[in-house]
Amino acid sequence: MSDSNTTYFTNPSTFILLGIPGLETAHVWISIPFCTMYAIAILGNVTILFIVKTEPSLHEPMYYFLCMLAVTDLVLSTCTLPKMLSIFWFNSREIDFGACVTQLYFVHCFTATESGIFVAMALDRFVAICDPLRHSTILTNRVVAKISLAVVLRGCILTLPYPFLARHWPYCRTNIIPHTHCEHLLVVKLSCADIRVSSYYGLFVLISGMGLDMFLIALSYIQILRAIFRLPTKETRLKTFGTCSSHLCVILAFYIPPLLVSLMSRFLPMLPLHFQSLIANVYLLVPPMLNPIIYGMRTKQIRVRLLRLVPLS
């Protein structure tokens, strides 16, 4: 006998985003650091793209990957923050079902793409430090183009089932999402069906995507560190190690939050929702803000070019 109090609908017309559950009264205050980080991310990444485009000496593999990272960061932060601010400032919580599914695809697609770009950049650093004489012959423009295409295609294909799975399930009882934006697992959890397929596939993407990428990055940096300790002078070792350590900090800031959110939502659902939501937003705003600073401003060629653009009194 069916439950007459439960309404089933394949595609709800809208979802309701709560923002950060439990912290609704502080939404305006929370929006200040979020908006500041977004502004820095936009300014920093656009500046990186402009400098690399206008400076022919920067048309090298490292800077091509840096431009890809800048574009990915711009898309990743822009597909979530405007809606987040509309929730915080205007209490505009409704989001169309199609827009929600599109947003969750872009979030997961560009997160996977950014992860692949970090692997490509780690490979570039590995070749540059461990085999500098062959760097230009190994990472030619043709090879860089193939790596870039593979990174983008992998991100698009791996996350392509997400919107189809989200549209496939029948939804019931509620259309309220306790978050600032649409994410795959949060959306499908509103379904009345058995969503183990979605959950298992999400775990597969996490392991085969970010898990494998973290393993490859770790291997690259282990070899890089071994090469650093073989450098002839202490000053050279410290300089190279300082650059690599700052890169690693950015990489950890990108990987740790989504891993925590994904594992907590699966295995520790009793944790406060506002804690999970805040961590989830960290990896959408902090890396896009830090990447142009760490990878860009700490790179001598970009820093010199930037100083030429800034008029000094």
Side-chain angles (χ1 to χ4, degrees):
M1 184 175 178
S2 62
D3 184 359
S4 60
N5 292 326
T6 301
T7 302
Y8 292 84
F9 42 98
T10 303
N11 289 344
S13 59
T14 59
F15 283 118
I16 306 297
L17 296 169
L18 289 185
I20 302 179
L23 297 178
E24 287 85 356
T25 57
H27 275 174
V28 173
W29 296 106
I30 294 172
S31 71
I32 296 173
F34 280 10
C35 192
T36 302
M37 287 189 285
Y38 180 60
I40 294 172
I42 294 292
L43 179 62
N45 286 295
V46 168
T47 301
I48 293 294
L49 291 171
F50 175 77
I51 289 176
V52 174
K53 185 181 184 302
T54 56
E55 183 57 53
S57 64
L58 299 181
H59 294 176
E60 298 177 359
M62 174 185 173
Y63 302 105
Y64 293 146
F65 292 139
L66 186 58
C67 286
M68 283 186 64
L69 185 65
V71 172
T72 303
D73 282 337
L74 287 171
V75 176
L76 192 58
S77 55
T78 301
C79 72
T80 56
L81 198 91
K83 181 59 182 177
M84 190 191 308
L85 292 179
S86 73
I87 296 170
F88 291 167
W89 292 344
F90 310 113
N91 203 33
S92 175
R93 303 183 178 210
E94 288 192 0
I95 183 169
D96 181 75
F97 179 80
C100 183
V101 170
T102 302
Q103 186 185 59
L104 74 84
Y105 176 71
F106 272 87
V107 168
H108 291 288
C109 174
F110 280 90
T111 299
T113 300
E114 182 153 342
S115 180
I117 295 170
F118 279 129
V119 176
M121 296 179 78
L123 172 65
D124 175 73
R125 291 298 84 203
F126 167 74
V127 176
I129 293 174
C130 299
D131 198 357
L133 297 179
R134 297 179 58 206
H135 181 265
S136 59
T137 57
I138 294 174
L139 289 178
T140 61
N141 287 342
R142 185 183 181 87
V143 171
V144 170
K146 288 181 178 179
I147 292 173
S148 302
L149 182 61
V151 165
V152 173
L153 286 178
R154 189 197 69 155
C156 294
I157 293 171
L158 264 182
T159 55
L160 189 59
Y162 282 165
F164 291 102
L165 287 170
R167 285 185 176 275
H168 172 73
W169 305 123
Y171 293 87
C172 63
R173 299 185 182 90
T174 181
N175 61 343
I176 296 174
I177 300 174
H179 201 23
T180 56
H181 57 272
C182 296
E183 286 193 354
H184 176 244
L185 201 56
L186 289 174
V187 172
V188 299
K189 276 183 175 180
L190 304 180
S191 169
C192 305
D194 183 350
I195 62 164
R196 280 182 292 182
V197 172
S198 288
S199 183
Y200 290 155
Y201 185 73
L203 198 57
F204 165 75
V205 171
L206 187 69
I207 295 171
S208 64
M210 284 195 167
L212 179 60
D213 290 349
M214 289 180 69
F215 176 72
L216 294 174
I217 290 171
L219 282 181
S220 297
Y221 274 92
I222 287 171
Q223 296 302 317
I224 288 171
L225 289 174
R226 290 177 62 185
I228 288 174
F229 289 123
R230 290 198 296 266
L231 291 174
T233 64
K234 182 179 179 181
E235 183 181 352
T236 307
R237 288 196 296 269
L238 289 174
K239 182 179 179 181
T240 309
F241 181 77
T243 301
C244 290
S245 62
S246 61
H247 291 183
L248 281 173
C249 288
V250 173
I251 290 170
L252 290 174
F254 174 78
Y255 281 108
I256 291 177
L259 285 173
L260 284 176
V261 170
S262 182
L263 294 175
M264 284 189 305
S265 61
R266 285 177 171 84
F267 306 115
L268 295 172
M270 72 292 297
L271 283 177
L273 289 174
H274 68 268
F275 180 72
Q276 296 185 40
S277 184
L278 284 171
I279 292 180
N281 283 297
V282 164
Y283 83 90
L284 292 177
L285 290 172
V286 174
M289 178 188 69
L290 290 180
N291 288 340
I293 297 172
I294 301 299
Y295 285 107
M297 304 316 165
R298 292 199 60 176
T299 302
K300 182 179 179 181
Q301 293 91 328
I302 291 180
R303 189 168 63 248
V304 169
R305 176 64 177 168
L306 180 63
L307 290 175
R308 291 180 195 164
L309 295 175
V310 178
L312 299 177
S313 56

